[in-house]
């Protein structure tokens, strides 16, 4: 299971890649593996506003539905249109082709509340330990 | 502390193949393998797959009076069967609600009753509590294992001597044979809407047979299938699941199982209650529906009609062969006609839906004769 360096992570298993004043958001490899078989991703329209910690969409998998929680606040600049036709992109490429939204970052200070790759790895090992 | 989970004889194979093992009815079972639920589902529709169903309860009733006793327990009529046949039935309590749904084999020596894993202890207690003296009861859940081989290519997977033995075996019939010194019982039935078999094998020989079936099935692409696809396959052909469509407060009449309730010339526990219910008229009906859009209905979602709550989703989700969200649920009887518009309350989102014909998936290879 991949935890990619250079990204920030939420405790709800979203990742954030900061690119200048924008942030790209998706769900982690762990999240897609737990959900498996994703059949629909519901995303907000471009122009919509996200608030950190609040739901902004959902992922329907064969087994379950999961809410998406905004790891950062900001205005949606773009959504990944490819997911409409091929939601399983999130399963195949959670950190790349399976990205979900691109935001104009509202408050860069919010990044401090997110986890580093090392801390996210630690969270996952705790979750795995709890599952044993 | 949680009790130790039970393991079937196939447990080590599941682990080695990367099966995602989860607690299920007291057993540790694979919910899926690395290919995923959709892949496994479509493989069974296209070719064949193997299911570990050794977690189900297997109970024998033997001796004089065994057949009559088994028949007194169940709503379907076992005495209409010849040895070599089996049937599907409800098991009801006195009030007509369901304790379980069962597969019952008419044997020369009595009956083999196969129960859901989640209900096995309850069924075993029920059988033991009502059993007349002279009828022998065996819980064979540990002594025997059970494999389901399902799919249009299921028969093509089998080799001698199994292939020869099943060739003339029709739907809901079984045969017994020797394989490598072990007695097998093989029936043609299943829970997927496809042709296929349930194979009963002594537990010690079960891993060997599992490996052999995988080997024979390699050319057809046969793989083990987890509980996830078992559920989606049954939902797509509208087979009921205990805990969803069936339960202690639901009669088989309401759950679409009127066809396995034989009240004429057949006395059984719960008959009077079911007769009364039938005469009084049913207050709810089980329907199948499809939803518009891509959001999925799920077990427990309220069903609405005219803005008011009118029922509940019993099973819902994505149907891989049909590539859409569908479900089943109980509604008030006025909503059961095909074409009726309903709504599903999916955690606040209203999904437009309409009642459709069952089964949802009609191209299955299951033999009906």
């Amino acid at each position: 299971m991949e935890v990619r360096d250079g990204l920030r992570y939420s405790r709800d298993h979203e990742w954030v890649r900061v690119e200048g004043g924008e942030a790209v958001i998706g769900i982690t490899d762990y999240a897609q593996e737990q959900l498996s078989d994703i059949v629909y991703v519901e995303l907000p329209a471009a122009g919509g506003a996200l608030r950190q910690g609040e739901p902004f969409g959902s992922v329907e998998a064969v087994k379950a539905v999961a809410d998406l929680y905004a790891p950062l606040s900001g205005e949606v600049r773009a959504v990944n249109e490819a997911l409409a036709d091929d939601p399983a992109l999130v399963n195949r490429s959670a950190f790349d082709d399976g990205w979900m939204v691109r935001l104009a970052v509202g408050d860069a200070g919010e990044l401090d509340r997110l986890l580093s790759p090392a801390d996210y790895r630690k969270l996952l090992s705790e979750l795995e330990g709890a599952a044993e | 502390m949680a009790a130790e989970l039970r393991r079937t004889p196939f447990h080590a194979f599941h682990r080695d193949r990367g099966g995602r093992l989860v607690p299920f009815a007291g057993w540790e079972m694979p919910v899926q393998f690395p290919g995923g639920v959709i892949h496994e589902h479509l493989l069974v529709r296209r070719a064949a797959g193997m299911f570990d169903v050794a977690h189900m309860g297997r109970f024998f009733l033997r001796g004089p009076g065994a057949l009559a006793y088994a028949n007194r327990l169940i709503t379907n009529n076992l005495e209409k069967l010849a040895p070599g046949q089996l049937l599907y039935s409800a098991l009801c309590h006195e009030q007509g609600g369901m304790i379980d749904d069962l597969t019952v084999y008419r044997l020369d020596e009595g009956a083999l009753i196969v129960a859901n894993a989640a209900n096995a202890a309850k069924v075993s207690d029920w059988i033991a509590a009502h059993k007349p003296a002279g009828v022998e009861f065996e819980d064979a859940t540990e002594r025997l294992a059970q494999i389901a081989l399902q799919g249009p290519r299921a028969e093509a997977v089998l080799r001698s001597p199994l292939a020869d033995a099943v060739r003339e075996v029709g739907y809901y019939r079984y045969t017994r044979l020797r394989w490598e010194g072990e007695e097998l019982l093989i029936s043609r039935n299943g829970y997927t809407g496809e042709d296929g078999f349930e194979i009963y094998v002594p537990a010690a020989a079960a891993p060997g047979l599992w490996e052999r079936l995988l080997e024979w099935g390699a050319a057809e692409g046969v793989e083990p299938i987890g509980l996830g696809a078992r559920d989606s396959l049954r939902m797509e052909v509208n087979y009921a699941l205990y805990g969803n469509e069936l339960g202690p407060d639901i009669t088989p009449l309401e759950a679409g199982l009127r066809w396995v309730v034989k009240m004429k010339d057949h006395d059984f526990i719960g008959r009077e209650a079911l007769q009364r219910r039938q005469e009084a008229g049913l207050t709810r009906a089980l329907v199948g529906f499809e939803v518009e859009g891509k959001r999925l209905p799920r077990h427990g979602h309220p069903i609405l009609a005219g803005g008011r709550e009118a029922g509940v989703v019993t099973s819902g989700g994505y149907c891989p062969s049909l590539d859409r969200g569908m479900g089943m649920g109980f509604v008030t009887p006025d909503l059961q006609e095909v074409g009726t518009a309903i709504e599903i309350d999916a955690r606040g989102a209203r999904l437009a839906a309409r009642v459709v014909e069952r089964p949802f998936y009609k191209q299955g290879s299951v033999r009906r004769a």
Side-chain angles (χ1 to χ4, degrees):
Chain A
M1 190 189 317
E2 186 182 2
V3 175
R4 190 167 290 183
D5 288 327
L7 307 180
R8 306 289 286 185
Y9 294 87
S10 75
R11 294 187 164 273
D12 302 310
H13 309 287
E14 282 95 12
W15 56 259
V16 175
R17 187 171 67 236
V18 178
E19 296 179 348
E22 294 189 334
V24 181
I25 292 167
I27 66 169
T28 65
D29 194 28
Y30 173 83
Q32 72 74 20
E33 194 182 294
Q34 289 295 307
L35 286 164
S36 71
D37 287 301
I38 292 167
V39 294
Y40 176 57
V41 183
E42 185 181 46
L43 295 174
L50 265 53
R51 285 176 59 96
Q52 188 176 40
E54 294 193 359
F56 71 94
S58 62
V59 178
E60 293 270 10
V62 169
K63 284 186 305 190
V65 59
D67 283 322
L68 295 165
Y69 293 94
L72 289 177
S73 304
E75 187 189 309
V76 178
R77 285 278 165 80
V79 301
N80 186 353
E81 305 287 350
L83 299 183
D85 289 332
D86 189 5
L89 270 177
V90 179
N91 292 123
R92 297 197 302 273
S93 179
F95 289 113
D96 296 300
D97 298 342
W99 67 276
M100 291 179 177
V101 297
R102 176 179 283 273
L103 286 186
V105 176
D107 175 3
E110 288 178 348
L111 282 164
D112 295 340
R113 292 183 217 153
L114 299 176
L115 304 176
S116 67
D119 289 340
Y120 184 65
R121 280 191 192 96
K122 199 165 152 236
L123 174 68
L124 294 187
S125 64
E126 284 164 15
L127 290 172
E128 296 286 295
E132 290 298 315
Chain B
M1 211 172 101
E4 192 80 2
L5 292 172
R6 298 167 79 181
R7 294 177 169 188
T8 74
F10 313 114
H11 186 273
F13 293 118
H14 305 330
R15 210 179 31 213
D16 291 348
R17 283 190 82 108
R20 186 178 296 174
L21 298 169
V22 299
F24 180 83
W27 297 77
E28 190 171 49
M29 299 296 293
V31 66
Q32 64 172 85
F33 292 88
V37 174
I38 295 175
H39 163 79
E40 291 170 25
H41 180 114
L42 297 175
L43 177 63
V44 172
R45 290 270 180 260
R46 187 182 70 243
M50 281 163 58
F51 301 74
D52 174 358
V53 283
H55 61 313
M56 297 186 82
R58 287 169 289 280
F59 308 115
F60 284 91
L61 291 172
R62 298 190 185 90
L67 193 66
Y69 174 52
N71 210 30
R72 204 181 124 53
L73 294 171
I74 65 174
T75 62
N76 206 340
N77 194 348
L78 199 53
E79 287 184 352
K80 299 268 185 196
L81 300 193
Q85 295 185 303
L86 54 137
L87 52 68
Y88 175 69
S89 182
L91 176 71
C92 290
H93 53 64
E94 285 87 351
Q95 291 76 41
M98 284 179 66
I99 298 166
D100 200 6
D101 62 327
L102 306 171
T103 308
V104 185
Y105 293 71
R106 177 169 178 162
L107 307 177
D108 290 322
E109 67 271 29
L112 165 62
I113 296 175
V114 182
N116 281 300
N119 293 328
K122 205 170 62 171
V123 171
S124 164
D125 289 349
W126 183 262
I127 296 173
H130 295 80
K131 188 176 75 65
V135 174
E136 181 207 329
F137 171 68
E138 185 205 1
D139 180 345
T141 306
E142 299 283 341
R143 181 173 67 80
L144 296 180
Q146 187 180 342
I147 301 168
L149 173 66
Q150 296 279 301
R153 302 297 293 161
E155 188 166 337
V157 165
L158 297 178
R159 300 279 185 275
S160 179
L162 284 72
D164 318 298
V166 302
R167 195 159 296 128
E168 301 301 321
V169 173
Y171 189 51
Y172 269 81
R173 289 169 187 269
Y174 70 87
T175 188
R176 285 164 139 169
L177 69 144
R178 290 228 157 243
W179 170 77
E180 299 193 346
E182 305 286 348
E183 194 198 52
L184 307 185
L185 187 155
I186 306 184
S187 55
R188 193 187 293 267
N189 62 309
Y191 197 47
T192 61
E194 300 297 334
D195 189 22
F197 306 96
E198 300 273 334
I199 305 173
Y200 300 83
V201 52
L209 180 59
W210 181 269
E211 281 191 300
R212 194 65 60 84
L213 289 170
L214 270 180
E215 210 176 283
W216 293 344
E220 303 284 350
V222 169
E223 295 174 20
I225 309 296
L227 294 176
R230 184 168 165 80
D231 189 43
S232 60
L233 286 159
R234 70 97 199 160
M235 194 189 80
E236 214 169 57
V237 290
N238 303 92
Y239 291 168
L241 173 64
Y242 198 93
N244 290 36
E245 287 72 36
L246 313 177
D249 302 318
I250 302 168
T251 66
L253 304 175
E254 300 160 298
L257 300 184
R258 178 70 190 84
W259 63 283
V260 299
V261 180
K262 305 287 168 63
M263 294 196 260
K264 246 203 218 166
D265 311 321
H266 174 218
D267 193 22
F268 57 90
I269 298 173
R271 177 178 145 176
E272 290 73 22
L274 291 176
Q275 247 158 1
R276 281 196 306 274
R277 187 66 67 95
Q278 173 107 324
E279 284 156 18
L282 304 178
T283 55
R284 55 184 168 181
L286 186 68
V287 296
F289 60 84
E290 62 180 27
V291 296
E292 278 174 30
K294 302 231 170 176
R295 292 288 301 268
L296 298 175
R298 307 275 183 184
H299 174 73
H301 285 170
I303 296 176
L304 312 174
R308 291 200 328 274
E309 189 155 339
V312 64
V313 175
T314 52
S315 293
Y318 179 73
C319 288
S321 308
L322 304 164
D323 188 26
R324 66 178 309 154
M326 305 190 79
M328 289 187 276
F330 284 109
V331 294
T332 50
D334 57 306
L335 299 174
Q336 64 184 311
E337 292 305 315
V338 167
T340 304
I342 54 176
E343 284 183 311
I344 311 301
D345 180 352
R347 304 186 313 149
R350 299 274 180 96
L351 315 184
R354 67 181 187 93
V355 176
V356 296
E357 270 180 32
R358 291 174 284 164
F360 300 150
Y361 180 76
K362 299 175 176 65
Q363 289 78 47
S365 56
V366 62
R367 292 188 185 188
R368 304 235 178 250

